[in-house]
Amino acid sequence: MLQQASPSAELPASLSPSSPGLVIPSQMNGHSSDPNAHGGELREDLQEFLGRDTPLHLLNDLTKVNPVTLETVLRCLQARYMADIFYTNAGCTLVALNPFKPVPQLYLPELMKEYHAAPQPQKLKPHIFTVGEQTYRNVKSLIEPVNQSIVVSGESGAGKTWTSRSLMKFYAVVAASPTSWESHKIAERIEQRILNSNPVMEAFGNACTLRNNNSSRFGKFIQLQLNRAQQMTGAAVQTYLLEKTRVACQASNERNFHIFYQICKGASVEERLQWHLPEGATFSWLPNPERTLEEDCFEVTREAMLHLGIDTPTQNNIFKILAGLLHLGNVRFADSADEAQPCQLMDDAKCSVRTLASLLWLPEDPLLETLQIRTIRAGRQQQVFRKPCSQAECGTRRDCLAKLVYARLFDWLVSVINSSICAEPDSWTTFIGLLDVYGFESFPDNSLEQLCINYANEKLQQHFVAHYLRAQQEEYAVEGLEWSFVNYQDNKTCLDLIEGSPISICSLINEECRLNRPSSAAQLQTRIESALAGSPCLGHNKLSREPSFIVVHYAGPVRYHTAGLVEKNKDPIPPELTRLLQQSQDPLLKVLFPTEEKSQEEPSSQSRTPVLTVVSKFKASLEQLLQVLHGTTPHYIRCIKPNSQGQAQTFLPEEVLSQLEACGLVETIHISAAGFPIRVSHQNFVERYGLLRRLLPRTSPGPYSPFSDEGHSGWSPHAKEATLQPLLQDILRTLPALTQAATPGDPAEAMPASVHCGRTKVFMTDSTLEFLERGRAQVLEQCARCIQGGWRRHQLRKQERQRQAAVLIQAAIRSWLTRKHIQRLHTAATAIKRAWQKWRIRMAFLASKELDDVEEKHLFQAPCSPSSFPLPQAQTWLLGAIIRLWPLGLVLANAAMGVCGFQRKLVVWACLQLPTSSPSSYTVQRVQEQAGVASIRALPQGSIKFHCRKSPLRYADICPEPSSYSVTGFNQILLERHRLGHI
C-alpha cells in the first residue's frame, strides 16, 4: 500500500484538522470557511515552504507538501518533472507524468524484480511497479475482496496505453515462478501471447490524433487470470466502443488506424501486387501518409499475430480485406440528374470497384447495385420496393459497408486473441484487471463518439469519488470520528444530465431514433435545451452557427454538434449490405458474415422490439464494467500530460493545472493526508491482532487477561461488542511499546500511532498498520521459536533413540559381516596356499631338472644290489640342495669335515654327473692336511677344460625358494671330459 501520512504524528500543524490556520476549502461541522480570507497567510506559508532545506523534487508524496493547495502541488510536480522524476504518490493515487521521451532504465526487468523482491515496496521510489506489486501481494494475502483492479485514467496522450503495457510486462515477470521446466515453458508461452496481444490491438484499434500519436480509439479491460499459486495462467480482453467511423472519416491532420499505414509501408513487392497497392498510389481514406511514426512497424504486428496463432495465409487474407477497404474509399459517385436513375460512378472509380470486387471475392455488378439502390419493405405483406439512392446516400452506404467489415474484423481479432490467451475457467481463481479507456476528449468538432467517451470518464470519476472520497467521509461520520469534511467535486449532476431518468441527453437521442421521422439537428438541439434547461451542467452557445449543445464535464465544458448525432446513434446497417457480404467467396468473410445470420434491420412482422442503439449498448457495457470494478479492490493511476505539444522537459503549468482540477487530485490529497485509509472491523481486528496481548506484562488472571486461560483466546468468533471492547483496549495498549521498539533513537517518532476505534470498525493509518504487523510478527516469531524448541527437543530425543537402536543393529551386522569376511578370506587363503605350494613344488622340480640335466628317474634309480636302500627325507633334501648348487657340492665333497662315507661319494657322483651304472669304479680322494678345498685333479689320463657360456636356464632363475646362499644365473661350469678312472 502506498505510503501515507499520519494525521496526528506526521502532519504539520497547518494541516491538522483542528488547526485554526487551515487554509484549504473545507467545511468544519457544517460551517463553510472562505479560502480567500487567508490569501496573504497562504503566500507567506508558501514562501516559507519553498525556502526550506528539503528540495521539492525529493518529496515522494504530495500529502507531505505544506499546505496542500493547487499551487504547491503544481510546484512540486514541476520540480520533480524537471529532475526527470515522473512518478509521485498522492495518497491512494499514483500521479504519472508523461516524459515524452524514451526512459528505458525505468522499465528494466531488473527494476521489476527489485520492486517485487523488496520487503516494503512503498519505501522505494514511487513507480507503477509499486502499484503492480501491491495488487499482486493483495491477491496473495487473500484479503477480501481478493480480485484487484487498476484504473488508468487521464487525457488523451497522457500515457495510459504505455502505463498499461508496462504493467502487463511487470505481471508477466513477477507472476511466473513455475516449479518444473515443462510448466515454465507453458508459462512463458502464455506470457508471450498476452504481451503480443498489445501490438495487434494497438495496430487495429489505435490511431494518430491531434493530441496523441498512439491514441486508443477503443476502451479495453484486460483481465489477468491467476491460479491458486498466484501464477499467470491466461488473460481475457473486453473491448468497448470502437471508433469505427474513423475508417471512413478522419478529422483534419489526423490519421486512420495504424494498420492501414503499416500494410502500405511495410508490404513487400509481391504483397503489393497481390493486394493491388502500387507504389505512390493515393487513397482517400489514408490521409497524411508521409508522416512516419514509431507505430508504423508492420513486422512487429505480423510476428505478434503469428504468436497468437494467426498463420500467414490468414494474415494475408486480413490484409487483403483491408486493402479492399482502401479501394472502397476511392469509390465516388456523381450526382444524378434524374431521381429515378441511380447515381453513376465517376470515371476514376470504375477501376476501384473492379479491384474491390476482386479483393473481397464479390460479384462486381451486385456490389455496385447494392451501393446505388436501396430496398424498402412496406405494407402488411412486406412488399419490396427498390429506390435509387442520392449521391449522399450512396456515400453513406459505402461508408457503412466499410465500417461494418472493419468492426466485424476487429471483433473477430479480439475473439481470436481471447481464445489464444484465455485460460480454462477451472484453472484460475483470482484476477487483476487493467482498465485502459479513452481519455477525456474535447475537439473543435465533437459528436457521438466524444459524448460516449466523456460519459465513460464521468462514470469512472464517479466511481473514484464514490469509492474513496465520499465513502470515506460518510463512513467517518457513521463511525463517529471527528473529521474535517472537505468539499470535493461531485459530478452526479453531470451524470444526471447525460444518463438520468426520466429525461436526459441519452434518452432524448434514443427517442429521436425510435420516431419514424427524419430528425434535424436544430430540432434535436431545441428539444435538449427545452427539456433540460434546469440543469446547471448544460450550457448554451448562442454565437454558434451550427446546432450544438454544451455539457460542463468535470474536466471542462465540451460543445457537441447535433448534426448526424441521431444517425450515428442508430448505426443502421442496410440488410442488403449484409446479404451482399454473405455472398463473398472469401474464407474469412464467410466466417465474419455467416449465411444463417439474420440482419438487425429485418425484424419479423410479429416482432416490434426496438433495435438497440449505440448509446444503449455502450451504457449497458459500461454498467457491466462498473459492476466488475465494484467487486474488486481498486487502485488508481492518474496520467498527466505536461504539455499538449508532446515535447520533453516542457512543463506548462496552465495545462497541468486544468488536469489536476479535473481529476480532483487536491481533494484526494486532503483526505489522504488527514484520513485513515485502513478500516478493519472489530471482530477481524481482534482475530488478527489478539496475539499482541501476549506483549502485555503478566498480571493476575482476570476475565480478559491474556494469560487467564491458556489454550484459549479469551473470546469466541461471535463475541458481542461488549466482550470485544476490553480486548480492543488490551491490543491498543501495546502500541506505545511497539512504536518505541520501532524507533528507539528518535523519541519524536515514538509517539503513539494514530488509531481510532469507531462504533464497528478500527480506523488507522499505514504507519499504525505497520507497527501492528511488526508486533504480530514478533509474537508469531516467539510462538514459532517455542514450537520449534519443543519440536527440536522431541526430534533430538527421537533421533537419540534411533541412534542407539541403530548402533546395536550396526554392531550386530558388523560382527556378522566380519565373520563372513574372515571366513571368505580363510577359504581364499587356503586355496591360494595350496595353489602356491603346488606351483612351488613344480617350479622346484623343473629347476632341479634343468640344473642336473638328468631325468628324474635316474636320480632315484638305485643299483639292483643288496646294498641299495631308500634315502631318508633329510638326505633327499640334501640331495636337492646339492643338485641345485653343485659348485657348493664340490666344496662339501672335499671338505675336511661335514660329509663322509657314502654321502661324500654320492655328492661327488652327483656333482660331476658321472654315469650311475658303476659307482664303485670311482674313488674320492681328499686332502687331509688342509681344511677346505685344495684342488681338483683328474687321474690318471683325463683332462678337464672349463668353458663359460650364458645360462640357458628357464626355471632355475625363478626358483620359488631363493636363499642367501643361492646363486642363480651364473655361467655354468661344464666339464668336457674323457672317461675317468677315478678322481
PDB file of all heavy atoms in Angstrom, residues 168 172 175 183-197 224-225 227 231-235 307-308 420-424 427:
ATOM      1  N   MET A 168       1.524  -4.828 -17.729  1.00  0.00           N
ATOM      2  CA  MET A 168       1.404  -6.199 -18.216  1.00  0.00           C
ATOM      3  C   MET A 168       2.766  -6.875 -18.265  1.00  0.00           C
ATOM      4  O   MET A 168       2.901  -8.063 -17.916  1.00  0.00           O
ATOM      5  CB  MET A 168       0.752  -6.191 -19.596  1.00  0.00           C
ATOM      6  CG  MET A 168      -0.718  -5.812 -19.589  1.00  0.00           C
ATOM      7  SD  MET A 168      -1.462  -5.867 -21.226  1.00  0.00           S
ATOM      8  CE  MET A 168      -1.360  -7.605 -21.584  1.00  0.00           C
ATOM      9  N   ALA A 172       3.917 -10.159 -16.128  1.00  0.00           N
ATOM     10  CA  ALA A 172       4.490 -11.298 -16.837  1.00  0.00           C
ATOM     11  C   ALA A 172       5.812 -11.733 -16.227  1.00  0.00           C
ATOM     12  O   ALA A 172       6.171 -12.909 -16.277  1.00  0.00           O
ATOM     13  CB  ALA A 172       4.690 -10.952 -18.314  1.00  0.00           C
ATOM     14  N   ALA A 175       4.728 -12.722 -11.986  1.00  0.00           N
ATOM     15  CA  ALA A 175       3.697 -13.737 -11.752  1.00  0.00           C
ATOM     16  C   ALA A 175       4.019 -15.019 -12.473  1.00  0.00           C
ATOM     17  O   ALA A 175       3.121 -15.771 -12.834  1.00  0.00           O
ATOM     18  CB  ALA A 175       2.330 -13.216 -12.195  1.00  0.00           C
ATOM     19  N   SER A 183       6.200 -26.753 -17.078  1.00  0.00           N
ATOM     20  CA  SER A 183       5.292 -25.660 -16.732  1.00  0.00           C
ATOM     21  C   SER A 183       5.942 -24.307 -16.974  1.00  0.00           C
ATOM     22  O   SER A 183       5.260 -23.332 -17.277  1.00  0.00           O
ATOM     23  CB  SER A 183       4.860 -25.782 -15.269  1.00  0.00           C
ATOM     24  OG  SER A 183       5.991 -25.759 -14.421  1.00  0.00           O
ATOM     25  N   HIS A 184       7.274 -24.251 -16.866  1.00  0.00           N
ATOM     26  CA  HIS A 184       7.963 -22.991 -17.159  1.00  0.00           C
ATOM     27  C   HIS A 184       7.794 -22.616 -18.634  1.00  0.00           C
ATOM     28  O   HIS A 184       7.543 -21.448 -18.964  1.00  0.00           O
ATOM     29  CB  HIS A 184       9.441 -23.132 -16.810  1.00  0.00           C
ATOM     30  CG  HIS A 184      10.262 -21.921 -17.146  1.00  0.00           C
ATOM     31  ND1 HIS A 184      10.141 -20.730 -16.456  1.00  0.00           N
ATOM     32  CD2 HIS A 184      11.194 -21.703 -18.104  1.00  0.00           C
ATOM     33  CE1 HIS A 184      10.964 -19.835 -16.974  1.00  0.00           C
ATOM     34  NE2 HIS A 184      11.614 -20.411 -17.980  1.00  0.00           N
ATOM     35  N   LYS A 185       7.902 -23.582 -19.527  1.00  0.00           N
ATOM     36  CA  LYS A 185       7.716 -23.293 -20.943  1.00  0.00           C
ATOM     37  C   LYS A 185       6.276 -22.893 -21.234  1.00  0.00           C
ATOM     38  O   LYS A 185       6.022 -21.990 -22.044  1.00  0.00           O
ATOM     39  CB  LYS A 185       8.110 -24.515 -21.781  1.00  0.00           C
ATOM     40  CG  LYS A 185       9.543 -24.981 -21.593  1.00  0.00           C
ATOM     41  CD  LYS A 185      10.527 -23.911 -22.004  1.00  0.00           C
ATOM     42  CE  LYS A 185      10.540 -23.660 -23.493  1.00  0.00           C
ATOM     43  NZ  LYS A 185      11.573 -22.674 -23.878  1.00  0.00           N
ATOM     44  N   ILE A 186       5.327 -23.539 -20.574  1.00  0.00           N
ATOM     45  CA  ILE A 186       3.919 -23.181 -20.772  1.00  0.00           C
ATOM     46  C   ILE A 186       3.662 -21.760 -20.289  1.00  0.00           C
ATOM     47  O   ILE A 186       2.986 -20.968 -20.961  1.00  0.00           O
ATOM     48  CB  ILE A 186       3.010 -24.192 -20.043  1.00  0.00           C
ATOM     49  CG1 ILE A 186       3.167 -25.582 -20.671  1.00  0.00           C
ATOM     50  CG2 ILE A 186       1.562 -23.741 -20.082  1.00  0.00           C
ATOM     51  CD1 ILE A 186       2.412 -26.665 -19.938  1.00  0.00           C
ATOM     52  N   ALA A 187       4.212 -21.416 -19.122  1.00  0.00           N
ATOM     53  CA  ALA A 187       4.026 -20.065 -18.596  1.00  0.00           C
ATOM     54  C   ALA A 187       4.652 -19.023 -19.519  1.00  0.00           C
ATOM     55  O   ALA A 187       4.078 -17.952 -19.755  1.00  0.00           O
ATOM     56  CB  ALA A 187       4.631 -19.965 -17.189  1.00  0.00           C
ATOM     57  N   GLU A 188       5.821 -19.326 -20.049  1.00  0.00           N
ATOM     58  CA  GLU A 188       6.457 -18.383 -20.974  1.00  0.00           C
ATOM     59  C   GLU A 188       5.608 -18.179 -22.220  1.00  0.00           C
ATOM     60  O   GLU A 188       5.485 -17.058 -22.723  1.00  0.00           O
ATOM     61  CB  GLU A 188       7.844 -18.896 -21.361  1.00  0.00           C
ATOM     62  CG  GLU A 188       8.922 -18.597 -20.337  1.00  0.00           C
ATOM     63  CD  GLU A 188      10.297 -18.941 -20.872  1.00  0.00           C
ATOM     64  OE1 GLU A 188      10.379 -19.622 -21.919  1.00  0.00           O
ATOM     65  OE2 GLU A 188      11.283 -18.537 -20.247  1.00  0.00           O
ATOM     66  N   ARG A 189       5.001 -19.245 -22.730  1.00  0.00           N
ATOM     67  CA  ARG A 189       4.171 -19.120 -23.911  1.00  0.00           C
ATOM     68  C   ARG A 189       2.930 -18.285 -23.628  1.00  0.00           C
ATOM     69  O   ARG A 189       2.544 -17.440 -24.447  1.00  0.00           O
ATOM     70  CB  ARG A 189       3.769 -20.513 -24.403  1.00  0.00           C
ATOM     71  CG  ARG A 189       2.988 -20.490 -25.711  1.00  0.00           C
ATOM     72  CD  ARG A 189       2.836 -21.883 -26.301  1.00  0.00           C
ATOM     73  NE  ARG A 189       2.078 -22.774 -25.438  1.00  0.00           N
ATOM     74  CZ  ARG A 189       2.595 -23.777 -24.767  1.00  0.00           C
ATOM     75  NH1 ARG A 189       3.888 -24.036 -24.836  1.00  0.00           N
ATOM     76  NH2 ARG A 189       1.841 -24.557 -24.002  1.00  0.00           N
ATOM     77  N   ILE A 190       2.325 -18.462 -22.459  1.00  0.00           N
ATOM     78  CA  ILE A 190       1.152 -17.672 -22.092  1.00  0.00           C
ATOM     79  C   ILE A 190       1.519 -16.201 -21.958  1.00  0.00           C
ATOM     80  O   ILE A 190       0.822 -15.314 -22.473  1.00  0.00           O
ATOM     81  CB  ILE A 190       0.530 -18.218 -20.794  1.00  0.00           C
ATOM     82  CG1 ILE A 190      -0.053 -19.616 -21.023  1.00  0.00           C
ATOM     83  CG2 ILE A 190      -0.548 -17.277 -20.279  1.00  0.00           C
ATOM     84  CD1 ILE A 190      -0.527 -20.295 -19.768  1.00  0.00           C
ATOM     85  N   GLU A 191       2.611 -15.927 -21.263  1.00  0.00           N
ATOM     86  CA  GLU A 191       3.030 -14.535 -21.081  1.00  0.00           C
ATOM     87  C   GLU A 191       3.345 -13.878 -22.418  1.00  0.00           C
ATOM     88  O   GLU A 191       2.984 -12.719 -22.653  1.00  0.00           O
ATOM     89  CB  GLU A 191       4.262 -14.486 -20.176  1.00  0.00           C
ATOM     90  CG  GLU A 191       4.006 -14.972 -18.766  1.00  0.00           C
ATOM     91  CD  GLU A 191       5.280 -15.425 -18.081  1.00  0.00           C
ATOM     92  OE1 GLU A 191       6.363 -15.097 -18.601  1.00  0.00           O
ATOM     93  OE2 GLU A 191       5.193 -16.105 -17.059  1.00  0.00           O
ATOM     94  N   GLN A 192       4.004 -14.618 -23.319  1.00  0.00           N
ATOM     95  CA  GLN A 192       4.339 -14.051 -24.622  1.00  0.00           C
ATOM     96  C   GLN A 192       3.085 -13.748 -25.419  1.00  0.00           C
ATOM     97  O   GLN A 192       3.004 -12.719 -26.101  1.00  0.00           O
ATOM     98  CB  GLN A 192       5.246 -15.024 -25.383  1.00  0.00           C
ATOM     99  CG  GLN A 192       5.892 -14.422 -26.621  1.00  0.00           C
ATOM    100  CD  GLN A 192       6.797 -13.262 -26.274  1.00  0.00           C
ATOM    101  OE1 GLN A 192       7.463 -13.272 -25.249  1.00  0.00           O
ATOM    102  NE2 GLN A 192       6.806 -12.252 -27.129  1.00  0.00           N
ATOM    103  N   ARG A 193       2.097 -14.598 -25.321  1.00  0.00           N
ATOM    104  CA  ARG A 193       0.846 -14.338 -26.036  1.00  0.00           C
ATOM    105  C   ARG A 193       0.120 -13.129 -25.453  1.00  0.00           C
ATOM    106  O   ARG A 193      -0.454 -12.327 -26.210  1.00  0.00           O
ATOM    107  CB  ARG A 193      -0.055 -15.578 -25.973  1.00  0.00           C
ATOM    108  CG  ARG A 193       0.430 -16.727 -26.847  1.00  0.00           C
ATOM    109  CD  ARG A 193      -0.537 -17.889 -26.800  1.00  0.00           C
ATOM    110  NE  ARG A 193      -0.101 -18.954 -27.684  1.00  0.00           N
ATOM    111  CZ  ARG A 193      -0.772 -20.100 -27.842  1.00  0.00           C
ATOM    112  NH1 ARG A 193      -1.902 -20.302 -27.174  1.00  0.00           N
ATOM    113  NH2 ARG A 193      -0.326 -21.025 -28.658  1.00  0.00           N
ATOM    114  N   ILE A 194       0.138 -13.008 -24.137  1.00  0.00           N
ATOM    115  CA  ILE A 194      -0.518 -11.851 -23.520  1.00  0.00           C
ATOM    116  C   ILE A 194       0.171 -10.562 -23.950  1.00  0.00           C
ATOM    117  O   ILE A 194      -0.480  -9.561 -24.286  1.00  0.00           O
ATOM    118  CB  ILE A 194      -0.522 -12.007 -21.993  1.00  0.00           C
ATOM    119  CG1 ILE A 194      -1.420 -13.170 -21.571  1.00  0.00           C
ATOM    120  CG2 ILE A 194      -0.993 -10.729 -21.322  1.00  0.00           C
ATOM    121  CD1 ILE A 194      -1.367 -13.490 -20.100  1.00  0.00           C
ATOM    122  N   LEU A 195       1.491 -10.572 -23.961  1.00  0.00           N
ATOM    123  CA  LEU A 195       2.223  -9.373 -24.378  1.00  0.00           C
ATOM    124  C   LEU A 195       2.052  -9.107 -25.867  1.00  0.00           C
ATOM    125  O   LEU A 195       2.040  -7.945 -26.293  1.00  0.00           O
ATOM    126  CB  LEU A 195       3.704  -9.522 -24.016  1.00  0.00           C
ATOM    127  CG  LEU A 195       4.032  -9.596 -22.523  1.00  0.00           C
ATOM    128  CD1 LEU A 195       5.531  -9.772 -22.315  1.00  0.00           C
ATOM    129  CD2 LEU A 195       3.544  -8.358 -21.793  1.00  0.00           C
ATOM    130  N   ASN A 196       1.933 -10.161 -26.671  1.00  0.00           N
ATOM    131  CA  ASN A 196       1.774  -9.975 -28.110  1.00  0.00           C
ATOM    132  C   ASN A 196       0.385  -9.486 -28.483  1.00  0.00           C
ATOM    133  O   ASN A 196       0.181  -9.046 -29.627  1.00  0.00           O
ATOM    134  CB  ASN A 196       2.071 -11.283 -28.850  1.00  0.00           C
ATOM    135  CG  ASN A 196       3.545 -11.568 -28.936  1.00  0.00           C
ATOM    136  OD1 ASN A 196       4.355 -10.669 -29.077  1.00  0.00           O
ATOM    137  ND2 ASN A 196       3.916 -12.830 -28.842  1.00  0.00           N
ATOM    138  N   SER A 197      -0.568  -9.579 -27.569  1.00  0.00           N
ATOM    139  CA  SER A 197      -1.891  -9.034 -27.881  1.00  0.00           C
ATOM    140  C   SER A 197      -1.869  -7.516 -27.951  1.00  0.00           C
ATOM    141  O   SER A 197      -2.724  -6.911 -28.623  1.00  0.00           O
ATOM    142  CB  SER A 197      -2.898  -9.500 -26.825  1.00  0.00           C
ATOM    143  OG  SER A 197      -2.582  -8.966 -25.545  1.00  0.00           O
ATOM    144  N   LEU A 224      -6.158 -10.224 -16.139  1.00  0.00           N
ATOM    145  CA  LEU A 224      -5.034 -11.148 -15.990  1.00  0.00           C
ATOM    146  C   LEU A 224      -5.420 -12.221 -14.975  1.00  0.00           C
ATOM    147  O   LEU A 224      -5.659 -11.925 -13.804  1.00  0.00           O
ATOM    148  CB  LEU A 224      -3.783 -10.396 -15.526  1.00  0.00           C
ATOM    149  CG  LEU A 224      -3.344  -9.227 -16.421  1.00  0.00           C
ATOM    150  CD1 LEU A 224      -2.134  -8.532 -15.824  1.00  0.00           C
ATOM    151  CD2 LEU A 224      -3.047  -9.704 -17.825  1.00  0.00           C
ATOM    152  N   GLN A 225      -5.477 -13.461 -15.417  1.00  0.00           N
ATOM    153  CA  GLN A 225      -6.004 -14.554 -14.607  1.00  0.00           C
ATOM    154  C   GLN A 225      -4.867 -15.272 -13.891  1.00  0.00           C
ATOM    155  O   GLN A 225      -3.861 -15.636 -14.509  1.00  0.00           O
ATOM    156  CB  GLN A 225      -6.780 -15.526 -15.510  1.00  0.00           C
ATOM    157  CG  GLN A 225      -7.941 -14.860 -16.224  1.00  0.00           C
ATOM    158  CD  GLN A 225      -8.413 -15.634 -17.436  1.00  0.00           C
ATOM    159  OE1 GLN A 225      -7.743 -16.553 -17.883  1.00  0.00           O
ATOM    160  NE2 GLN A 225      -9.570 -15.270 -17.967  1.00  0.00           N
ATOM    161  N   ASN A 227      -3.766 -18.405 -10.942  1.00  0.00           N
ATOM    162  CA  ASN A 227      -4.211 -19.640 -10.294  1.00  0.00           C
ATOM    163  C   ASN A 227      -3.995 -19.540  -8.782  1.00  0.00           C
ATOM    164  O   ASN A 227      -3.676 -18.477  -8.251  1.00  0.00           O
ATOM    165  CB  ASN A 227      -3.489 -20.848 -10.890  1.00  0.00           C
ATOM    166  CG  ASN A 227      -1.974 -20.725 -10.753  1.00  0.00           C
ATOM    167  OD1 ASN A 227      -1.464 -19.895 -10.006  1.00  0.00           O
ATOM    168  ND2 ASN A 227      -1.247 -21.556 -11.479  1.00  0.00           N
ATOM    169  N   GLN A 231       0.185 -17.660 -10.088  1.00  0.00           N
ATOM    170  CA  GLN A 231       0.898 -17.682 -11.357  1.00  0.00           C
ATOM    171  C   GLN A 231      -0.073 -17.345 -12.475  1.00  0.00           C
ATOM    172  O   GLN A 231      -1.234 -17.761 -12.456  1.00  0.00           O
ATOM    173  CB  GLN A 231       1.520 -19.058 -11.606  1.00  0.00           C
ATOM    174  CG  GLN A 231       2.527 -19.471 -10.551  1.00  0.00           C
ATOM    175  CD  GLN A 231       2.948 -20.914 -10.693  1.00  0.00           C
ATOM    176  OE1 GLN A 231       2.530 -21.585 -11.632  1.00  0.00           O
ATOM    177  NE2 GLN A 231       3.751 -21.396  -9.778  1.00  0.00           N
ATOM    178  N   MET A 232       0.408 -16.563 -13.439  1.00  0.00           N
ATOM    179  CA  MET A 232      -0.449 -16.131 -14.519  1.00  0.00           C
ATOM    180  C   MET A 232      -0.725 -17.303 -15.456  1.00  0.00           C
ATOM    181  O   MET A 232       0.183 -17.887 -16.028  1.00  0.00           O
ATOM    182  CB  MET A 232       0.206 -14.976 -15.277  1.00  0.00           C
ATOM    183  CG  MET A 232      -0.744 -14.271 -16.225  1.00  0.00           C
ATOM    184  SD  MET A 232       0.074 -12.973 -17.187  1.00  0.00           S
ATOM    185  CE  MET A 232       0.693 -11.959 -15.875  1.00  0.00           C
ATOM    186  N   THR A 233      -1.997 -17.633 -15.584  1.00  0.00           N
ATOM    187  CA  THR A 233      -2.391 -18.754 -16.432  1.00  0.00           C
ATOM    188  C   THR A 233      -3.072 -18.309 -17.714  1.00  0.00           C
ATOM    189  O   THR A 233      -3.222 -19.118 -18.633  1.00  0.00           O
ATOM    190  CB  THR A 233      -3.335 -19.695 -15.670  1.00  0.00           C
ATOM    191  OG1 THR A 233      -4.509 -18.958 -15.273  1.00  0.00           O
ATOM    192  CG2 THR A 233      -2.656 -20.248 -14.432  1.00  0.00           C
ATOM    193  N   GLY A 234      -3.488 -17.060 -17.797  1.00  0.00           N
ATOM    194  CA  GLY A 234      -4.165 -16.595 -19.001  1.00  0.00           C
ATOM    195  C   GLY A 234      -4.651 -15.169 -18.817  1.00  0.00           C
ATOM    196  O   GLY A 234      -4.358 -14.489 -17.823  1.00  0.00           O
ATOM    197  N   ALA A 235      -5.415 -14.725 -19.785  1.00  0.00           N
ATOM    198  CA  ALA A 235      -5.958 -13.365 -19.748  1.00  0.00           C
ATOM    199  C   ALA A 235      -7.195 -13.331 -20.632  1.00  0.00           C
ATOM    200  O   ALA A 235      -7.439 -14.221 -21.451  1.00  0.00           O
ATOM    201  CB  ALA A 235      -4.922 -12.339 -20.206  1.00  0.00           C
ATOM    202  N   HIS A 307       2.428 -15.326 -33.135  1.00  0.00           N
ATOM    203  CA  HIS A 307       2.471 -15.872 -31.776  1.00  0.00           C
ATOM    204  C   HIS A 307       1.069 -16.100 -31.227  1.00  0.00           C
ATOM    205  O   HIS A 307       0.885 -16.940 -30.338  1.00  0.00           O
ATOM    206  CB  HIS A 307       3.236 -14.928 -30.856  1.00  0.00           C
ATOM    207  CG  HIS A 307       4.723 -15.009 -31.006  1.00  0.00           C
ATOM    208  ND1 HIS A 307       5.428 -14.155 -31.819  1.00  0.00           N
ATOM    209  CD2 HIS A 307       5.647 -15.852 -30.480  1.00  0.00           C
ATOM    210  CE1 HIS A 307       6.709 -14.455 -31.776  1.00  0.00           C
ATOM    211  NE2 HIS A 307       6.876 -15.486 -30.982  1.00  0.00           N
ATOM    212  N   LEU A 308       0.092 -15.363 -31.726  1.00  0.00           N
ATOM    213  CA  LEU A 308      -1.281 -15.531 -31.249  1.00  0.00           C
ATOM    214  C   LEU A 308      -2.024 -16.632 -32.000  1.00  0.00           C
ATOM    215  O   LEU A 308      -3.206 -16.861 -31.727  1.00  0.00           O
ATOM    216  CB  LEU A 308      -2.040 -14.211 -31.390  1.00  0.00           C
ATOM    217  CG  LEU A 308      -1.591 -13.083 -30.448  1.00  0.00           C
ATOM    218  CD1 LEU A 308      -2.300 -11.786 -30.801  1.00  0.00           C
ATOM    219  CD2 LEU A 308      -1.862 -13.455 -29.000  1.00  0.00           C
ATOM    220  N   SER A 420      -6.808 -17.486 -27.673  1.00  0.00           N
ATOM    221  CA  SER A 420      -5.392 -17.845 -27.590  1.00  0.00           C
ATOM    222  C   SER A 420      -4.826 -17.654 -26.193  1.00  0.00           C
ATOM    223  O   SER A 420      -3.944 -18.410 -25.773  1.00  0.00           O
ATOM    224  CB  SER A 420      -4.584 -17.011 -28.592  1.00  0.00           C
ATOM    225  OG  SER A 420      -3.211 -17.251 -28.464  1.00  0.00           O
ATOM    226  N   ILE A 421      -5.305 -16.643 -25.456  1.00  0.00           N
ATOM    227  CA  ILE A 421      -4.692 -16.316 -24.167  1.00  0.00           C
ATOM    228  C   ILE A 421      -5.582 -16.642 -22.985  1.00  0.00           C
ATOM    229  O   ILE A 421      -5.105 -16.643 -21.842  1.00  0.00           O
ATOM    230  CB  ILE A 421      -4.302 -14.825 -24.109  1.00  0.00           C
ATOM    231  CG1 ILE A 421      -5.545 -13.933 -24.166  1.00  0.00           C
ATOM    232  CG2 ILE A 421      -3.353 -14.470 -25.229  1.00  0.00           C
ATOM    233  CD1 ILE A 421      -5.241 -12.453 -24.064  1.00  0.00           C
ATOM    234  N   CYS A 422      -6.857 -16.919 -23.207  1.00  0.00           N
ATOM    235  CA  CYS A 422      -7.762 -17.149 -22.077  1.00  0.00           C
ATOM    236  C   CYS A 422      -7.556 -18.554 -21.523  1.00  0.00           C
ATOM    237  O   CYS A 422      -7.389 -19.523 -22.271  1.00  0.00           O
ATOM    238  CB  CYS A 422      -9.205 -16.942 -22.508  1.00  0.00           C
ATOM    239  SG  CYS A 422     -10.373 -16.940 -21.130  1.00  0.00           S
ATOM    240  N   ALA A 423      -7.566 -18.658 -20.202  1.00  0.00           N
ATOM    241  CA  ALA A 423      -7.388 -19.949 -19.533  1.00  0.00           C
ATOM    242  C   ALA A 423      -8.746 -20.605 -19.281  1.00  0.00           C
ATOM    243  O   ALA A 423      -9.805 -19.970 -19.375  1.00  0.00           O
ATOM    244  CB  ALA A 423      -6.636 -19.753 -18.213  1.00  0.00           C
ATOM    245  N   GLU A 424      -8.697 -21.884 -18.963  1.00  0.00           N
ATOM    246  CA  GLU A 424      -9.923 -22.604 -18.630  1.00  0.00           C
ATOM    247  C   GLU A 424     -10.518 -22.047 -17.329  1.00  0.00           C
ATOM    248  O   GLU A 424      -9.788 -21.623 -16.434  1.00  0.00           O
ATOM    249  CB  GLU A 424      -9.636 -24.093 -18.476  1.00  0.00           C
ATOM    250  CG  GLU A 424      -9.183 -24.768 -19.760  1.00  0.00           C
ATOM    251  CD  GLU A 424     -10.258 -24.774 -20.821  1.00  0.00           C
ATOM    252  OE1 GLU A 424     -11.457 -24.773 -20.446  1.00  0.00           O
ATOM    253  OE2 GLU A 424      -9.919 -24.767 -22.020  1.00  0.00           O
ATOM    254  N   SER A 427      -9.055 -23.311 -14.092  1.00  0.00           N
ATOM    255  CA  SER A 427      -7.602 -23.214 -13.895  1.00  0.00           C
ATOM    256  C   SER A 427      -7.178 -21.908 -13.241  1.00  0.00           C
ATOM    257  O   SER A 427      -6.012 -21.733 -12.941  1.00  0.00           O
ATOM    258  CB  SER A 427      -6.874 -23.359 -15.237  1.00  0.00           C
ATOM    259  OG  SER A 427      -7.189 -22.291 -16.100  1.00  0.00           O
TER     260      SER A 427
END
